[in-house]
Amino acid sequence: TGPGRSRLEVGDDAVEVRMGWALSARIPRTAIVAARRAPAVRWAIGVHTTGGGSWIVNGATGRIVDLELDPPVPARAVGWPVRLRRLRLSANRPDELVAALARR
């Protein structure tokens, strides 16, 4: 799950998130009820759950964006189907991502 197999693409209708084999999700933009900068995740890099449909997908400890999702979005995490309610992810340009998601 290195940079060559990870991506974040913001489209007109959806946001595609992939981190190698460990996580893949297509998030409809209509399901993103909030997008904001978040504090660094200093305790881990990779794909992790914090419970209750909340996941962290990060290749760096900083530059984190927090997405609040409603309704929950189907995804696959470490090979299993999950429902995302919240996704915190690292982005190269987090402020630009938040601004892009604010435009509908």
Side-chain angles (χ1 to χ4, degrees):
T1 59
R5 295 187 179 181
S6 300
R7 73 174 186 271
L8 170 63
E9 296 177 10
V10 178
D12 291 337
D13 298 325
V15 175
E16 300 276 345
V17 179
R18 182 167 195 90
M19 189 166 208
W21 59 270
L23 185 123
S24 63
R26 182 180 187 281
I27 302 168
R29 294 202 42 179
T30 56
I32 301 172
V33 295
R36 61 183 82 74
R37 288 294 302 267
V41 177
R42 301 216 183 272
W43 52 270
I45 290 178
V47 175
H48 307 275
T49 184
T50 56
S54 182
W55 287 80
I56 300 171
V57 179
N58 62 327
T61 58
R63 302 184 316 264
I64 304 295
V65 174
D66 184 5
L67 304 180
E68 183 181 334
L69 309 173
D70 190 26
V73 174
R76 292 198 69 80
V78 291
W80 295 94
V82 298
R83 307 233 4 121
L84 301 175
R85 294 179 186 280
R86 180 178 181 197
L87 181 63
R88 284 180 283 171
L89 50 91
S90 59
N92 290 333
R93 294 182 303 276
D95 294 325
E96 290 179 28
L97 176 60
V98 170
L101 294 174
R103 295 188 297 271
R104 290 198 182 215

